[in-house]
Amino acid sequence: MITQTPRTPPGPLDHLEVGRSILPASAYTEQVAFDSELRDIFQSRWVWAGFEHWVAAPGSSRPITVAGQPLLLARDSDGTLRVFHNICRHRGIVLSEEPSTRKRLRCPYHYWTFNLDGSLCGTPYWDRTKNSGPDEQTRAQLGLLPVRHTVWAGMIFVHLGAPCEPAEDLLAPLTARWAPYNLDSVRLAEERQYNIDANWKLVVENFLDFYHLPFVHPQVGSASAVLDVEDEVLSPDIIGACYPRGVTTKASGKAGSALPLLGDIPEEMRTRQDIFCVFPNALVFLEPDFFQVIACQPVAPGRTVEYMAVFVAAEAGADRHPEAGAADRYAEARESACRVLFGVNDQDVPILAQLQRGRSSPSADRGHLVSHWDQITARFQTLVAEATGRH
Ligand code: FES
Ligand SMILES: [Fe+2]
């Protein structure tokens, strides 16, 4: 039972009396619960939508799906990134189905064309004559519909709902905590996409479950080291944990030449590992020399797509050495770190499917959250319960 609502006050960790799971098993399996989470969470808050490097080049675009809605990331020729509803303004067909480097996107149905700033440019046979088009006022009203968005630490967040708090306010606790890190200039080391046979909430809960680390991922360090973790609540929406003393072997790219630090990081922060969920769907893991993101998009009650990316300091990025014409001196360290980090995630994939299968049994409702370990899970479930009106 929750004895104190974690939303007030935010900040220091108030110990929760936990016991039975706050969310019933049906919240992980039923379509009605899934639909309400899309509506009340994913369409009503800031959510992770994609990586900025997906549209790195001016003149590139990429369709994405957020909360079941087709969106379009587009960077126009002057480098401005925008997010649109990926819907043709004529008959509502999905406009773009593939990543593209075309300066104009052409609707497959009647060949209207749109610039990457969203403006409508071509409307063939508008009035049944060649080269005709709408008057300027009509044309101006028929641009692609924009989506509120922000870019932070290489990630694109969108808000599909009504006016809301600025994303900067939501992210402020992390921005302050990570001030010494140059997260705006990190470079991709590697990314992978995973199709997960589990509800999106299990992906988040598993990321916030530090208890399983020595058992599912014994390679990451001794049990005493991996369990030396402290719960952290930076705000109602940013919850996770910190390894203040580090787990030295965790991403041991540290064998061989080390990766450069992600900034001018003070000595006392150099052994620190931070692991946070930016509610609902951005899972971030920061060490002094790498930044890992696992973001999830719900597809169905038992199906989630995970986008995992590992970033390193600009000078150690995988794209760096060819242009410099020099040897890639960080290749070994970068690849070693990625091998460990993706290896850990690979081990979680079958666990997630097994957790999901467990929720088809009524016995799953008799699970017991442990006060010593499941505080952050309880907070996450409480956030979901509050947002969807289950409280
Ligand atoms: S639906 Fe796109 S041009 Fe008609
Ligand atoms: Fe895990």
Side-chain angles (χ1 to χ4, degrees), residues 163-187:
C164 53
E165 70 170 326
E168 292 68 30
D169 292 358
L170 169 73
L171 296 165
L174 272 184
T175 309
R177 183 179 174 94
W178 293 348
Y181 289 79
N182 295 329
L183 293 181
D184 289 335
S185 64
V186 292
R187 292 293 180 107

Side-chain angles (χ1 to χ4, degrees), residues 326-350:
D328 186 356
R329 57 190 281 242
Y330 295 113
E332 190 188 335
R334 197 176 59 234
E335 283 156 19
S336 171
C338 287
R339 195 160 44 244
V340 173
L341 295 168
F342 286 102
V344 165
N345 206 51
D346 291 345
Q347 290 170 319
D348 283 323
V349 172

Side-chain angles (χ1 to χ4, degrees), residues 77-140:
S77 49
D78 71 10
T80 305
L81 174 73
R82 295 183 178 83
V83 184
F84 299 107
H85 290 278
N86 184 14
I87 299 294
C88 178
R89 295 300 310 285
H90 179 213
R91 296 284 293 120
I93 194 171
V94 169
L95 176 66
S96 169
E97 298 262 58
E98 300 285 346
S100 160
T101 52
R102 291 171 197 273
K103 285 201 203 120
R104 289 178 176 169
L105 297 175
R106 188 175 68 189
C107 177
Y109 203 12
H110 313 98
Y111 275 20
W112 285 17
T113 52
F114 296 87
N115 295 310
L116 293 184
D117 65 2
S119 57
L120 175 64
C121 46
T123 51
Y125 296 96
W126 173 267
D127 66 4
R128 300 193 172 214
T129 63
K130 216 174 172 183
N131 299 326
S132 59
D135 61 70
E136 280 316 303
Q137 192 184 358
T138 305
R139 182 187 297 278

Side-chain angles (χ1 to χ4, degrees), residues 348-368:
D348 283 323
V349 172
I351 291 286
L352 288 167
Q354 210 165 332
L355 279 163
Q356 181 70 21
R357 280 193 286 126
R359 275 159 182 72
S360 61
S361 165
S363 309
D365 276 337
R366 306 286 300 274
H368 185 89

Side-chain angles (χ1 to χ4, degrees), residues 4-11 14 16 45 165 235-237 279 379 382-384 386-387:
Q4 182 173 8
T5 164
R7 293 191 73 82
T8 50
D14 302 312
L16 303 182
R45 289 175 175 250
E165 70 170 326
S235 76
D237 298 307
F279 188 80
R379 279 175 185 268
T382 302
L383 280 171
V384 173
E386 288 179 348

Side-chain angles (χ1 to χ4, degrees), residues 206 209 212-213 216-217 344 347-348:
N206 178 61
D209 182 308
H212 81 282
L213 294 175
V216 176
H217 315 294
V344 165
Q347 290 170 319
D348 283 323

